[in-house]
Amino acid sequence: MAPSDCFAGSMKAGGTTRVWVRRGLGLLGLAVAVLLGLSHFVRLRYQSRIVPLAVAPEAPVALVFGAGLAPGAVPSPVLAQRLDAAIALWRQGKVRSLLVSGDNSAPFHNETRAMRNYLLERGVPEDAVVGDEAGLSTYDSCLRAHSVFGADRAVLVTQRFHLSRALFIANSVGIDAWGVAADEGRATPWRYTVRETLSRVLALAMVLLEVEPGSPDAQPATAPR
Protein backbone atom coordinates (compact mmCIF):
# COMPACT_ATOMS: atom_id res chain seq x y z
CA MET A 1 0.00 0.00 0.00
CA ALA A 2 1.31 3.40 -0.96
CA PRO A 3 1.95 5.97 1.83
CA SER A 4 -0.77 8.15 0.40
CA ASP A 5 -3.28 5.29 0.75
CA CYS A 6 -2.35 4.87 4.44
CA PHE A 7 -2.79 8.58 5.04
CA ALA A 8 -6.20 8.57 3.37
CA GLY A 9 -7.32 5.59 5.47
CA SER A 10 -6.19 7.31 8.65
CA MET A 11 -8.13 10.45 7.75
CA LYS A 12 -11.24 8.39 7.03
CA ALA A 13 -11.04 6.62 10.40
CA GLY A 14 -10.56 9.91 12.23
CA GLY A 15 -13.50 11.42 10.39
CA THR A 16 -15.73 8.49 11.35
CA THR A 17 -14.73 8.85 14.99
CA ARG A 18 -15.60 12.54 14.96
CA VAL A 19 -19.00 11.76 13.44
CA TRP A 20 -19.80 9.27 16.19
CA VAL A 21 -18.58 11.67 18.87
CA ARG A 22 -20.86 14.38 17.50
CA ARG A 23 -23.78 11.96 17.39
CA GLY A 24 -23.10 10.83 20.94
CA LEU A 25 -22.95 14.40 22.19
CA GLY A 26 -26.12 15.18 20.31
CA LEU A 27 -27.96 12.27 21.91
CA LEU A 28 -26.62 13.24 25.33
CA GLY A 29 -27.79 16.80 24.82
CA LEU A 30 -31.22 15.55 23.74
CA ALA A 31 -31.48 13.31 26.81
CA VAL A 32 -30.56 16.20 29.11
CA ALA A 33 -33.10 18.45 27.38
CA VAL A 34 -35.85 15.84 27.79
CA LEU A 35 -34.95 15.31 31.44
CA LEU A 36 -35.00 19.04 32.16
CA GLY A 37 -38.27 19.43 30.29
CA LEU A 38 -40.00 16.68 32.26
CA SER A 39 -38.65 18.05 35.54
CA HIS A 40 -39.88 21.52 34.61
CA PHE A 41 -43.33 20.12 33.83
CA VAL A 42 -43.60 18.49 37.26
CA ARG A 43 -42.33 21.65 38.97
CA LEU A 44 -44.92 23.87 37.30
CA ARG A 45 -47.89 21.47 37.27
CA TYR A 46 -49.21 22.44 40.73
CA GLN A 47 -47.11 25.54 41.37
CA SER A 48 -50.26 27.62 41.89
CA ARG A 49 -51.18 25.41 44.87
CA ILE A 50 -48.18 26.54 46.91
CA VAL A 51 -49.57 29.20 49.24
CA PRO A 52 -48.41 31.14 52.32
CA LEU A 53 -49.37 29.61 55.63
CA ALA A 54 -51.62 32.56 56.47
CA VAL A 55 -53.91 31.88 53.49
CA ALA A 56 -53.72 28.09 53.39
CA PRO A 57 -57.12 26.48 52.74
CA GLU A 58 -58.80 24.44 55.42
CA ALA A 59 -58.40 20.68 55.18
CA PRO A 60 -59.05 17.68 57.42
CA VAL A 61 -55.35 16.88 57.68
CA ALA A 62 -51.84 18.23 57.18
CA LEU A 63 -49.36 15.71 55.80
CA VAL A 64 -45.88 16.24 57.24
CA PHE A 65 -43.01 14.41 55.52
CA GLY A 66 -40.07 12.97 57.47
CA ALA A 67 -36.62 14.49 56.98
CA GLY A 68 -34.17 12.62 59.15
CA LEU A 69 -33.17 12.76 62.80
CA ALA A 70 -30.43 14.61 64.65
CA PRO A 71 -28.25 13.07 67.39
CA GLY A 72 -30.42 12.11 70.32
CA ALA A 73 -33.18 10.78 68.05
CA VAL A 74 -34.80 14.21 67.76
CA PRO A 75 -36.04 15.85 64.54
CA SER A 76 -33.35 17.32 62.33
CA PRO A 77 -33.46 21.12 61.81
CA VAL A 78 -35.18 20.58 58.45
CA LEU A 79 -37.78 18.29 60.00
CA ALA A 80 -38.33 20.60 62.97
CA GLN A 81 -39.03 23.39 60.52
CA ARG A 82 -41.74 21.28 58.90
CA LEU A 83 -43.26 20.35 62.25
CA ASP A 84 -43.33 23.99 63.41
CA ALA A 85 -45.24 24.96 60.27
CA ALA A 86 -47.69 22.10 60.84
CA ILE A 87 -48.24 23.23 64.44
CA ALA A 88 -49.01 26.72 63.17
CA LEU A 89 -51.58 25.32 60.74
CA TRP A 90 -53.25 23.37 63.53
CA ARG A 91 -53.26 26.31 65.94
CA GLN A 92 -54.87 28.53 63.31
CA GLY A 93 -57.62 25.97 62.76
CA LYS A 94 -56.56 25.28 59.19
CA VAL A 95 -56.36 21.52 59.82
CA ARG A 96 -57.92 19.17 62.37
CA SER A 97 -55.15 16.57 62.51
CA LEU A 98 -51.50 16.13 61.60
CA LEU A 99 -50.38 13.02 59.71
CA VAL A 100 -46.66 12.52 60.34
CA SER A 101 -45.13 10.15 57.81
CA GLY A 102 -41.63 8.87 58.46
CA ASP A 103 -39.14 6.16 57.61
CA ASN A 104 -38.75 3.69 60.48
CA SER A 105 -37.13 0.93 58.45
CA ALA A 106 -33.75 1.09 60.22
CA PRO A 107 -33.15 0.06 63.85
CA PHE A 108 -32.99 2.95 66.31
CA HIS A 109 -34.30 5.36 63.66
CA ASN A 110 -37.95 6.03 64.40
CA GLU A 111 -38.88 9.23 62.61
CA THR A 112 -42.57 8.93 63.31
CA ARG A 113 -42.08 8.62 67.07
CA ALA A 114 -39.70 11.58 67.12
CA MET A 115 -42.17 13.68 65.12
CA ARG A 116 -45.05 12.70 67.37
CA ASN A 117 -43.08 13.52 70.54
CA TYR A 118 -42.08 16.89 69.12
CA LEU A 119 -45.71 17.78 68.45
CA LEU A 120 -47.00 16.55 71.81
CA GLU A 121 -44.31 18.48 73.68
CA ARG A 122 -45.52 21.65 71.99
CA GLY A 123 -49.14 21.29 72.95
CA VAL A 124 -50.73 19.36 70.11
CA PRO A 125 -53.14 16.84 71.69
CA GLU A 126 -52.50 13.17 71.14
CA ASP A 127 -55.82 12.62 69.37
CA ALA A 128 -54.82 15.19 66.73
CA VAL A 129 -51.64 13.34 65.71
CA VAL A 130 -51.72 10.40 63.30
CA GLY A 131 -48.60 8.37 62.54
CA ASP A 132 -47.53 6.49 59.44
CA GLU A 133 -44.41 4.44 60.11
CA ALA A 134 -44.03 3.30 56.48
CA GLY A 135 -43.40 6.65 54.81
CA LEU A 136 -40.26 5.37 53.10
CA SER A 137 -40.38 8.06 50.42
CA THR A 138 -42.42 11.05 49.31
CA TYR A 139 -44.29 8.77 46.91
CA ASP A 140 -45.06 6.22 49.63
CA SER A 141 -46.19 8.91 52.07
CA CYS A 142 -48.64 10.42 49.57
CA LEU A 143 -50.00 7.13 48.27
CA ARG A 144 -50.49 5.72 51.76
CA ALA A 145 -52.05 8.96 53.01
CA HIS A 146 -54.79 8.39 50.45
CA SER A 147 -55.11 4.60 50.26
CA VAL A 148 -54.42 3.67 53.89
CA PHE A 149 -55.40 6.76 55.87
CA GLY A 150 -58.27 7.87 53.62
CA ALA A 151 -57.03 11.42 52.99
CA ASP A 152 -58.94 12.98 50.11
CA ARG A 153 -57.96 16.58 50.88
CA ALA A 154 -54.79 17.71 52.64
CA VAL A 155 -52.26 20.47 53.15
CA LEU A 156 -48.72 19.26 52.50
CA VAL A 157 -46.00 20.66 54.74
CA THR A 158 -42.37 20.59 53.62
CA GLN A 159 -39.68 22.92 52.26
CA ARG A 160 -40.41 24.77 49.05
CA PHE A 161 -37.82 22.87 46.98
CA HIS A 162 -39.70 19.66 47.83
CA LEU A 163 -43.26 20.93 47.50
CA SER A 164 -43.54 20.79 43.71
CA ARG A 165 -42.75 17.07 43.66
CA ALA A 166 -44.91 16.29 46.68
CA LEU A 167 -47.88 18.19 45.24
CA PHE A 168 -47.53 16.46 41.88
CA ILE A 169 -47.55 13.03 43.49
CA ALA A 170 -50.34 13.75 45.97
CA ASN A 171 -52.70 15.25 43.41
CA SER A 172 -51.90 12.44 40.97
CA VAL A 173 -52.81 9.68 43.45
CA GLY A 174 -56.18 11.11 44.46
CA ILE A 175 -55.57 13.81 47.09
CA ASP A 176 -56.86 17.33 46.59
CA ALA A 177 -53.60 18.77 47.92
CA TRP A 178 -52.27 22.25 48.62
CA GLY A 179 -48.81 23.06 49.89
CA VAL A 180 -47.29 25.30 52.55
CA ALA A 181 -43.54 25.96 52.47
CA ALA A 182 -42.01 25.47 55.88
CA ASP A 183 -39.04 27.61 54.80
CA GLU A 184 -41.12 30.41 53.32
CA GLY A 185 -38.93 33.38 52.41
CA ARG A 186 -35.63 31.49 52.66
CA ALA A 187 -33.25 30.66 49.82
CA THR A 188 -32.97 27.05 48.61
CA PRO A 189 -29.46 25.50 48.76
CA TRP A 190 -28.19 24.61 45.27
CA ARG A 191 -27.64 20.94 46.18
CA TYR A 192 -31.38 20.54 46.82
CA THR A 193 -32.18 22.16 43.48
CA VAL A 194 -29.95 19.69 41.63
CA ARG A 195 -31.34 16.71 43.52
CA GLU A 196 -34.94 17.71 42.90
CA THR A 197 -34.33 18.08 39.17
CA LEU A 198 -33.75 14.33 38.99
CA SER A 199 -36.23 13.37 41.70
CA ARG A 200 -39.10 15.08 39.91
CA VAL A 201 -38.52 12.96 36.80
CA LEU A 202 -38.45 9.82 38.94
CA ALA A 203 -41.71 10.90 40.60
CA LEU A 204 -43.34 11.34 37.19
CA ALA A 205 -42.26 7.84 36.18
CA MET A 206 -43.57 6.31 39.42
CA VAL A 207 -46.94 8.01 39.01
CA LEU A 208 -47.27 6.89 35.38
CA LEU A 209 -46.25 3.32 36.24
CA GLU A 210 -48.49 3.28 39.35
CA VAL A 211 -45.68 1.85 41.46
CA GLU A 212 -46.74 0.10 44.66
CA PRO A 213 -45.50 1.60 47.96
CA GLY A 214 -42.41 0.08 49.56
CA SER A 215 -44.48 -1.34 52.45
CA PRO A 216 -47.92 -1.91 50.92
CA ASP A 217 -49.13 -4.13 53.78
CA ALA A 218 -48.07 -1.86 56.64
CA GLN A 219 -51.08 -0.69 58.62
CA PRO A 220 -51.56 2.64 60.35
CA ALA A 221 -49.84 3.06 63.69
CA THR A 222 -52.85 5.08 64.77
CA ALA A 223 -56.35 5.35 63.37
CA PRO A 224 -57.12 8.38 61.18
CA ARG A 225 -59.39 11.05 62.60
Side-chain angles (χ1 to χ4, degrees), residues 105-203:
S105 59
F108 310 109
H109 183 87
N110 194 317
E111 282 188 340
T112 304
R113 181 170 59 196
M115 295 164 78
R116 172 189 292 278
N117 290 341
Y118 188 95
L119 296 173
L120 297 180
E121 290 168 2
R122 285 154 182 79
V124 180
E126 188 171 358
D127 63 359
V129 181
V130 184
D132 181 9
E133 297 184 349
L136 305 181
S137 67
T138 302
Y139 181 84
D140 285 8
S141 293
C142 291
L143 188 59
R144 286 175 53 81
H146 179 62
S147 62
V148 177
F149 292 84
D152 294 320
R153 180 176 172 83
V155 178
L156 311 187
V157 184
T158 184
Q159 279 69 27
R160 189 175 184 88
F161 69 84
H162 181 218
L163 264 179
S164 296
R165 175 162 58 101
L167 281 169
F168 179 83
I169 296 171
N171 281 284
S172 297
V173 300
I175 302 175
D176 178 17
W178 294 73
V180 165
D183 59 344
E184 187 175 331
R186 295 179 175 86
T188 299
W190 68 268
R191 66 182 182 278
Y192 291 137
T193 300
V194 173
R195 188 187 72 179
E196 282 300 307
T197 298
L198 301 174
S199 296
R200 286 193 290 262
V201 177
L202 178 60

Side-chain angles (χ1 to χ4, degrees), residues 11-31:
M11 289 293 290
K12 183 176 180 181
T16 301
T17 300
R18 285 194 295 271
V19 169
W20 281 107
V21 168
R22 286 197 298 269
R23 288 178 179 176
L25 291 175
L27 289 174
L28 178 62
L30 178 61

Side-chain angles (χ1 to χ4, degrees), residues 5 7 14 40 46 50 78 123 133 172 212-213 215:
D5 293 336
F7 182 73
H40 190 62
Y46 294 99
I50 299 177
V78 171
E133 297 184 349
S172 297
E212 289 294 320
S215 299

Side-chain angles (χ1 to χ4, degrees), residues 63-109:
L63 173 57
V64 189
F65 300 90
L69 300 179
V74 298
S76 66
V78 171
L79 181 52
Q81 198 174 56
R82 297 179 185 183
L83 293 167
D84 288 339
I87 292 171
L89 282 170
W90 177 79
R91 287 177 176 166
Q92 293 180 19
K94 301 285 188 179
V95 297
R96 295 194 297 273
S97 63
L98 306 178
L99 172 55
V100 292
S101 183
D103 178 1
N104 303 330
S105 59
F108 310 109
H109 183 87

